[in-house]
Amino acid sequence: MKLLLLGMLALMFSSVDANSSAAKPACQQEQYRQFDFWVGHWDVYSRDGKKVGENKISEAMNGCVLKEHYVATSGYEGESLNTFDQVQSQWHQTWVDNSGLLLQLDGHWNGHNMTLMGEGKNTKGQSIRHRIVWKPQKNGDVHQVWDISEDNGVHWTNAFFGVYKKRTTPKSN
């Protein structure tokens, strides 16, 4: 049975026609590059200029995924996987952290900002809506604005405002 399953998997993965569009490198379409402005190693600051953490965003899985690892100066830590979903023609993020939070967000690049939204629960078990917007700046910084709504998007409260400044690697002599 195991040999049959392994044989079927091998056949599946080897049956791509070299002349078909499936033979092109995966995830090279323009949509997969829309979030590339976020790739890098960042120092993250609050609105008032205080350093609040570090974030490293890197490409994974042949450029099909952006992987995030955030560590706050407070000890808070989280990771996300981000990808463009071709079937639904939108971006998706799955975020998990060391407080037990799970966020699943979907959204779009509008040519200026990446906006992802998703539903969740607050600490009282009530429905809450999350909206996170990444705004690339002309100087290379990225602003991340995370707002929450407990009334289905009628009113929004800011949960986090981060200014991402790309880390510079010291030049060696």
Side-chain angles (χ1 to χ4, degrees):
M1 183 66 170
K2 284 183 186 179
L3 288 176
L4 177 62
L5 180 58
L6 287 173
M8 289 173 53
L9 286 172
L11 181 61
M12 239 175 43
F13 289 113
S14 67
S15 65
V16 175
D17 179 1
N19 296 320
S20 76
S21 61
K24 293 180 183 175
C27 309
Q28 296 305 306
Q29 297 87 348
E30 184 180 323
Q31 297 94 329
Y32 282 93
R33 307 286 58 93
Q34 293 171 334
F35 219 166
D36 283 359
F37 66 85
W38 196 35
V39 173
H41 195 170
W42 305 86
D43 288 320
V44 183
Y45 297 87
S46 63
R47 191 182 308 260
D48 62 0
K50 180 182 175 189
K51 185 174 177 183
V52 295
E54 295 180 17
N55 208 355
K56 186 172 183 181
I57 293 82
S58 57
E59 287 189 11
M61 300 185 193
N62 297 324
C64 293
V65 174
L66 293 182
K67 185 176 179 182
E68 172 188 18
H69 184 195
Y70 177 74
V71 178
T73 55
S74 66
Y76 176 77
E77 187 173 355
E79 294 190 350
S80 74
L81 295 177
N82 304 266
T83 192
F84 183 76
D85 181 344
Q86 284 186 11
V87 174
Q88 296 187 31
S89 191
Q90 67 181 359
W91 275 88
H92 175 80
Q93 180 182 92
T94 297
W95 167 268
V96 293
D97 66 26
N98 62 355
S99 76
L101 178 64
L102 167 66
L103 287 178
Q104 295 185 66
L105 309 169
D106 296 295
H108 299 91
W109 169 252
N110 69 6
H112 303 286
N113 306 316
M114 179 67 72
T115 302
L116 304 179
M117 298 177 68
E119 303 294 324
K121 301 280 184 187
N122 65 16
T123 55
K124 300 173 189 170
Q126 300 164 321
S127 291
I128 189 170
R129 182 174 285 183
H130 299 270
R131 177 181 65 198
I132 304 178
V133 180
W134 291 263
K135 302 175 182 183
Q137 306 296 301
K138 289 182 181 179
N139 67 357
D141 292 353
V142 174
H143 291 178
Q144 180 182 350
V145 181
W146 180 359
D147 294 322
I148 58 172
S149 174
E150 295 180 337
D151 59 9
N152 205 28
V154 176
H155 300 94
W156 293 92
T157 303
N158 185 252
F160 177 77
F161 183 93
V163 176
Y164 285 62
K165 294 190 175 287
K166 201 163 257 189
R167 290 183 138 210
T168 55
T169 306
K171 293 180 182 178
S172 57
N173 296 335

